[in-house]
Amino acid sequence: MQLESMYQDIILDHYRNPHGRGLRDPFEAEVHHVNPTCGDEVTLRVHLEGDTIADVSYEGMGCSISQASVSAMYDLVLGKPVPEALATGEHFMTLMQSKGDAAVAEQLEEELEDAIAFAGVSKYPARVKCALMSWMALKDASARALSAAPTEGVNR
């Protein structure tokens, strides 16, 4: 029970004190993702230097889980090569599909840092989409930035 309380505190801290919030220039790709189930939204920009994520900036609104997830994601992917950041996203997806399996959470704890706090969210299928929204936006924006495909809002 004490661990769940600590995890809730981590999520609330990221929600109240978001890391990386605010849209910034320059960026190679901007995407807007919406979770129609509950109304969560995020506009996310990715700035690359080579294949490394030099910046992720965002604005969003929605529940504490969706907003805290994008803050925790920011901490995990900043400064990492895109393939490594996307692999971290796949590990977060594994956590979200674990349905609260403590063994899965223990295995991923070191890599996911604060994002491990979302382990309890995986018990609630309706909330999993909230936690995954920003990771899907990162995947989308990274692909667009790497392919240099023209996107609306691009500032080069």
Side-chain angles (χ1 to χ4, degrees):
M1 189 64 176
Q2 207 169 16
L3 185 61
E4 282 186 31
S5 176
M6 183 182 77
Y7 283 172
Q8 289 173 349
D9 289 345
I10 291 170
I11 290 171
L12 286 175
D13 185 53
H14 273 281
Y15 176 67
R16 292 178 181 141
N17 306 294
H19 304 176
R21 187 174 185 87
L23 294 173
R24 293 181 291 281
D25 292 325
F27 62 96
E28 285 69 45
E30 176 180 289
V31 297
H32 183 77
H33 281 223
V34 177
N35 178 354
T37 307
C38 61
D40 296 336
E41 294 186 34
V42 68
T43 299
L44 185 132
R45 292 178 176 175
V46 171
H47 173 53
L48 301 179
E49 290 179 1
D51 76 338
T52 299
I53 297 176
D55 192 24
V56 174
S57 62
Y58 66 93
E59 283 294 335
M61 58 185 226
C63 70
S64 60
I65 292 170
S66 72
Q67 299 307 295
S69 181
V70 70
S71 173
M73 180 196 73
Y74 169 85
D75 291 345
L76 285 171
V77 303
L78 195 64
K80 287 188 177 179
V82 170
E84 189 178 332
L86 295 179
T88 300
E90 290 301 317
H91 290 130
F92 187 76
M93 173 78 81
T94 299
L95 180 70
M96 290 296 94
Q97 294 171 338
S98 74
K99 296 184 170 122
D101 185 334
V104 172
E106 187 176 326
Q107 183 180 17
L108 296 171
E109 186 173 11
E110 188 173 317
E111 179 182 354
L112 293 180
E113 299 174 13
D114 277 1
I116 200 69
F118 294 88
V121 172
S122 70
K123 297 176 190 175
Y124 306 98
R127 304 310 303 238
V128 168
K129 286 183 181 181
C130 302
L132 288 175
M133 181 180 64
S134 59
W135 290 93
M136 297 301 104
L138 176 70
K139 188 175 182 178
D140 184 10
S142 296
R144 290 181 188 203
L146 286 172
S147 70
T151 59
E152 187 176 327
V154 170
N155 180 4
R156 293 184 185 236

